[in-house]
Amino acid sequence: MNRPVTIVQIAKESGVSISTVSRVMNGTAPVSETTRARVNEVIQKHHYTPNAFARSLINRQSMTIGIIMPDISNPYFSAMFSEFEHAAQEANYSLLLCNTSFCAARAGEMTRRELDYFQMMLDKNVDGVVVAGGQADLLEVSGAYRDALGHLASSVPVVVLGNPIPEVNCRFIQRERGQGVFSAVNYLASLGHRRIAFVGGEDGVGITSARLRAYQDALAALRLPGERELVRLSDYYTPDGYRAARELLASGTSFTALLAMNDNVALGAYRALADAGLRVPQDVSVISCDQFYSADYLVPRLTSVDQHNELFGRFIINALLGAINGVQEDVSLTYHPELVVRESCAPPAPASRWCGTASP
């Protein structure tokens, strides 16, 4: 069996040094046209592709970016990872994905896995790391997590999606400040809704706090009722939306519209409303704060806030690549969420048909 051609053989056959072959392939230093042509001819003859590990020894770069996420099955993170991958590939980088299965309700026991992945990134000699979600999303992080993240950031460039953590030298990027929520609440108010409920999201998590605060500020600005009974936190998935909407219905709280944390939660709320004999939008209007890929295929089609996650994913990778290459410029996000109106909202139903006090 023929052994793979090595850079040593390419150099020997070309009559040049190994470093010259490396310079020809990487374009890192001037090489005469005659030498470049001779080396390229030998490379093409053998269909030579340099071994990634060998290249990393020469360049002192692995051309690999580490991605640490809490749940790749969540459409929010899976769509973001796809954009990470596209942007990284354009720059000739590969991605190393770590899925922590983080849950805020079990943050204490889950921290160990995140810290293990931080160390693994160092062991794998990645050129930079993106930390998306997990404990970085919490309003308060543990001392162990802060120390481990600081140690990681002292070794490689790190971009964190979340609130800044004092004394940790990372690039922190906050996408979620509740943008888009006001437009959703305002749209419902323009249709005549006054009692607007909020379901989904997990207590103590930054993204939930930001959207809930934006919802409450919007109600106050529009002089709409904002009772605590209108809010039912749960989590970010379809069963959580179902559970939260059922609790809301069972409480007897009056409402005619429902603001869901994301499309997953809205889907669960759809089912809970249907089980209670209520129709969307004839009896209850529904809007999602974060559009995924399914909004156009629900029945009725779901009105959602498009947070432009695809642009955000590319922005994150570009920010990390800048840090890897020593660019200190602080670039800000320039796009804004967009309310996409579909079929799930209508003026409130007459009180004789649905007054918001039915129970499942």
mmCIF file of all heavy atoms in Angstrom, residues 31-52:
data_model
loop_
_atom_site.group_PDB
_atom_site.id
_atom_site.type_symbol
_atom_site.label_atom_id
_atom_site.label_comp_id
_atom_site.label_asym_id
_atom_site.label_seq_id
_atom_site.Cartn_x
_atom_site.Cartn_y
_atom_site.Cartn_z
ATOM 1 N N VAL A 31 8.816 34.098 -2.421
ATOM 2 C CA VAL A 31 9.527 32.978 -3.046
ATOM 3 C C VAL A 31 9.614 33.301 -4.538
ATOM 4 O O VAL A 31 8.658 33.808 -5.122
ATOM 5 C CB VAL A 31 8.790 31.637 -2.844
ATOM 6 C CG1 VAL A 31 9.510 30.505 -3.566
ATOM 7 C CG2 VAL A 31 8.653 31.319 -1.361
ATOM 8 N N SER A 32 10.757 33.017 -5.152
ATOM 9 C CA SER A 32 10.917 33.336 -6.572
ATOM 10 C C SER A 32 9.886 32.574 -7.392
ATOM 11 O O SER A 32 9.458 31.472 -7.018
ATOM 12 C CB SER A 32 12.329 32.978 -7.036
ATOM 13 O OG SER A 32 12.484 31.564 -7.096
ATOM 14 N N GLU A 33 9.483 33.169 -8.516
ATOM 15 C CA GLU A 33 8.464 32.546 -9.362
ATOM 16 C C GLU A 33 8.920 31.186 -9.879
ATOM 17 O O GLU A 33 8.133 30.253 -10.010
ATOM 18 C CB GLU A 33 8.115 33.468 -10.536
ATOM 19 C CG GLU A 33 7.302 34.688 -10.142
ATOM 20 C CD GLU A 33 5.991 34.290 -9.461
ATOM 21 O OE1 GLU A 33 5.349 33.328 -9.924
ATOM 22 O OE2 GLU A 33 5.629 34.927 -8.458
ATOM 23 N N THR A 34 10.217 31.060 -10.183
ATOM 24 C CA THR A 34 10.750 29.787 -10.692
ATOM 25 C C THR A 34 10.612 28.697 -9.632
ATOM 26 O O THR A 34 10.152 27.586 -9.911
ATOM 27 C CB THR A 34 12.236 29.951 -11.079
ATOM 28 O OG1 THR A 34 12.359 30.957 -12.079
ATOM 29 C CG2 THR A 34 12.788 28.626 -11.612
ATOM 30 N N THR A 35 11.012 29.030 -8.387
ATOM 31 C CA THR A 35 10.906 28.059 -7.293
ATOM 32 C C THR A 35 9.452 27.728 -7.006
ATOM 33 O O THR A 35 9.091 26.559 -6.804
ATOM 34 C CB THR A 35 11.570 28.622 -6.026
ATOM 35 O OG1 THR A 35 12.943 28.882 -6.289
ATOM 36 C CG2 THR A 35 11.454 27.629 -4.874
ATOM 37 N N ARG A 36 8.589 28.757 -6.978
ATOM 38 C CA ARG A 36 7.166 28.535 -6.703
ATOM 39 C C ARG A 36 6.548 27.592 -7.750
ATOM 40 O O ARG A 36 5.816 26.667 -7.408
ATOM 41 C CB ARG A 36 6.428 29.873 -6.707
ATOM 42 C CG ARG A 36 4.936 29.751 -6.336
ATOM 43 C CD ARG A 36 4.256 31.106 -6.416
ATOM 44 N NE ARG A 36 4.900 32.079 -5.553
ATOM 45 C CZ ARG A 36 4.675 32.167 -4.247
ATOM 46 N NH1 ARG A 36 3.810 31.338 -3.670
ATOM 47 N NH2 ARG A 36 5.298 33.080 -3.519
ATOM 48 N N ALA A 37 6.886 27.818 -9.009
ATOM 49 C CA ALA A 37 6.328 26.982 -10.079
ATOM 50 C C ALA A 37 6.802 25.542 -9.937
ATOM 51 O O ALA A 37 6.030 24.588 -10.130
ATOM 52 C CB ALA A 37 6.732 27.546 -11.431
ATOM 53 N N ARG A 38 8.105 25.358 -9.607
ATOM 54 C CA ARG A 38 8.660 24.007 -9.467
ATOM 55 C C ARG A 38 8.002 23.263 -8.309
ATOM 56 O O ARG A 38 7.631 22.089 -8.435
ATOM 57 C CB ARG A 38 10.181 24.093 -9.268
ATOM 58 C CG ARG A 38 10.848 22.714 -9.235
ATOM 59 C CD ARG A 38 12.359 22.799 -9.382
ATOM 60 N NE ARG A 38 13.001 23.367 -8.199
ATOM 61 C CZ ARG A 38 13.539 24.593 -8.157
ATOM 62 N NH1 ARG A 38 13.491 25.394 -9.213
ATOM 63 N NH2 ARG A 38 14.115 25.022 -7.050
ATOM 64 N N VAL A 39 7.822 23.942 -7.172
ATOM 65 C CA VAL A 39 7.205 23.310 -6.000
ATOM 66 C C VAL A 39 5.737 22.979 -6.290
ATOM 67 O O VAL A 39 5.270 21.880 -5.984
ATOM 68 C CB VAL A 39 7.327 24.216 -4.766
ATOM 69 C CG1 VAL A 39 6.504 23.652 -3.604
ATOM 70 C CG2 VAL A 39 8.784 24.377 -4.362
ATOM 71 N N ASN A 40 5.022 23.917 -6.899
ATOM 72 C CA ASN A 40 3.603 23.674 -7.204
ATOM 73 C C ASN A 40 3.426 22.522 -8.185
ATOM 74 O O ASN A 40 2.455 21.759 -8.092
ATOM 75 C CB ASN A 40 2.959 24.940 -7.772
ATOM 76 C CG ASN A 40 2.577 25.937 -6.692
ATOM 77 O OD1 ASN A 40 2.276 25.548 -5.561
ATOM 78 N ND2 ASN A 40 2.596 27.221 -7.017
ATOM 79 N N GLU A 41 4.349 22.364 -9.102
ATOM 80 C CA GLU A 41 4.281 21.254 -10.062
ATOM 81 C C GLU A 41 4.383 19.909 -9.340
ATOM 82 O O GLU A 41 3.638 18.967 -9.636
ATOM 83 C CB GLU A 41 5.396 21.396 -11.094
ATOM 84 C CG GLU A 41 5.363 20.305 -12.172
ATOM 85 C CD GLU A 41 6.474 20.481 -13.194
ATOM 86 O OE1 GLU A 41 7.190 21.509 -13.127
ATOM 87 O OE2 GLU A 41 6.634 19.586 -14.045
ATOM 88 N N VAL A 42 5.298 19.826 -8.374
ATOM 89 C CA VAL A 42 5.452 18.579 -7.609
ATOM 90 C C VAL A 42 4.219 18.350 -6.729
ATOM 91 O O VAL A 42 3.733 17.213 -6.597
ATOM 92 C CB VAL A 42 6.738 18.631 -6.757
ATOM 93 C CG1 VAL A 42 6.855 17.377 -5.897
ATOM 94 C CG2 VAL A 42 7.965 18.787 -7.649
ATOM 95 N N ILE A 43 3.702 19.415 -6.116
ATOM 96 C CA ILE A 43 2.506 19.287 -5.271
ATOM 97 C C ILE A 43 1.332 18.746 -6.079
ATOM 98 O O ILE A 43 0.619 17.833 -5.650
ATOM 99 C CB ILE A 43 2.161 20.663 -4.646
ATOM 100 C CG1 ILE A 43 3.184 21.028 -3.565
ATOM 101 C CG2 ILE A 43 0.750 20.648 -4.048
ATOM 102 C CD1 ILE A 43 3.023 22.440 -3.032
ATOM 103 N N GLN A 44 1.119 19.317 -7.272
ATOM 104 C CA GLN A 44 0.004 18.870 -8.113
ATOM 105 C C GLN A 44 0.208 17.454 -8.628
ATOM 106 O O GLN A 44 -0.738 16.674 -8.744
ATOM 107 C CB GLN A 44 -0.174 19.847 -9.277
ATOM 108 C CG GLN A 44 -0.633 21.232 -8.843
ATOM 109 C CD GLN A 44 -0.571 22.253 -9.959
ATOM 110 O OE1 GLN A 44 -0.384 21.902 -11.116
ATOM 111 N NE2 GLN A 44 -0.706 23.536 -9.594
ATOM 112 N N LYS A 45 1.437 17.113 -8.908
ATOM 113 C CA LYS A 45 1.756 15.765 -9.400
ATOM 114 C C LYS A 45 1.339 14.708 -8.386
ATOM 115 O O LYS A 45 0.781 13.654 -8.740
ATOM 116 C CB LYS A 45 3.259 15.676 -9.671
ATOM 117 C CG LYS A 45 3.758 14.264 -9.976
ATOM 118 C CD LYS A 45 5.276 14.253 -10.112
ATOM 119 C CE LYS A 45 5.807 12.835 -10.223
ATOM 120 N NZ LYS A 45 7.297 12.817 -10.293
ATOM 121 N N HIS A 46 1.562 14.975 -7.107
ATOM 122 C CA HIS A 46 1.248 13.999 -6.057
ATOM 123 C C HIS A 46 -0.097 14.263 -5.375
ATOM 124 O O HIS A 46 -0.446 13.542 -4.434
ATOM 125 C CB HIS A 46 2.367 14.006 -5.002
ATOM 126 C CG HIS A 46 3.677 13.503 -5.512
ATOM 127 N ND1 HIS A 46 3.925 12.165 -5.781
ATOM 128 C CD2 HIS A 46 4.833 14.176 -5.828
ATOM 129 C CE1 HIS A 46 5.168 12.028 -6.218
ATOM 130 N NE2 HIS A 46 5.744 13.234 -6.263
ATOM 131 N N HIS A 47 -0.828 15.320 -5.840
ATOM 132 C CA HIS A 47 -2.114 15.680 -5.212
ATOM 133 C C HIS A 47 -1.922 15.848 -3.698
ATOM 134 O O HIS A 47 -2.710 15.348 -2.894
ATOM 135 C CB HIS A 47 -3.186 14.625 -5.495
ATOM 136 C CG HIS A 47 -3.398 14.349 -6.944
ATOM 137 N ND1 HIS A 47 -4.017 15.245 -7.782
ATOM 138 C CD2 HIS A 47 -3.026 13.287 -7.718
ATOM 139 C CE1 HIS A 47 -4.044 14.745 -9.013
ATOM 140 N NE2 HIS A 47 -3.446 13.567 -8.994
ATOM 141 N N TYR A 48 -0.866 16.554 -3.371
ATOM 142 C CA TYR A 48 -0.489 16.664 -1.960
ATOM 143 C C TYR A 48 -1.380 17.663 -1.227
ATOM 144 O O TYR A 48 -1.601 18.791 -1.671
ATOM 145 C CB TYR A 48 0.978 17.101 -1.853
ATOM 146 C CG TYR A 48 1.407 17.427 -0.441
ATOM 147 C CD1 TYR A 48 1.521 16.415 0.522
ATOM 148 C CD2 TYR A 48 1.699 18.737 -0.062
ATOM 149 C CE1 TYR A 48 1.928 16.713 1.812
ATOM 150 C CE2 TYR A 48 2.094 19.036 1.222
ATOM 151 C CZ TYR A 48 2.211 18.021 2.158
ATOM 152 O OH TYR A 48 2.604 18.315 3.437
ATOM 153 N N THR A 49 -1.885 17.234 -0.065
ATOM 154 C CA THR A 49 -2.607 18.102 0.864
ATOM 155 C C THR A 49 -1.902 18.010 2.198
ATOM 156 O O THR A 49 -1.728 16.909 2.732
ATOM 157 C CB THR A 49 -4.072 17.657 1.035
ATOM 158 O OG1 THR A 49 -4.700 17.688 -0.233
ATOM 159 C CG2 THR A 49 -4.810 18.583 1.992
ATOM 160 N N PRO A 50 -1.489 19.133 2.773
ATOM 161 C CA PRO A 50 -0.725 19.074 4.021
ATOM 162 C C PRO A 50 -1.550 18.538 5.171
ATOM 163 O O PRO A 50 -2.740 18.816 5.286
ATOM 164 C CB PRO A 50 -0.323 20.533 4.270
ATOM 165 C CG PRO A 50 -1.344 21.326 3.527
ATOM 166 C CD PRO A 50 -1.694 20.506 2.313
ATOM 167 N N ASN A 51 -0.919 17.745 6.013
ATOM 168 C CA ASN A 51 -1.550 17.255 7.230
ATOM 169 C C ASN A 51 -1.849 18.413 8.168
ATOM 170 O O ASN A 51 -1.008 19.272 8.410
ATOM 171 C CB ASN A 51 -0.600 16.262 7.916
ATOM 172 C CG ASN A 51 -1.147 15.749 9.219
ATOM 173 O OD1 ASN A 51 -0.958 16.376 10.242
ATOM 174 N ND2 ASN A 51 -1.807 14.606 9.154
ATOM 175 N N ALA A 52 -3.082 18.455 8.660
ATOM 176 C CA ALA A 52 -3.512 19.586 9.490
ATOM 177 C C ALA A 52 -2.658 19.723 10.744
ATOM 178 O O ALA A 52 -2.336 20.834 11.179
ATOM 179 C CB ALA A 52 -4.980 19.427 9.870
#
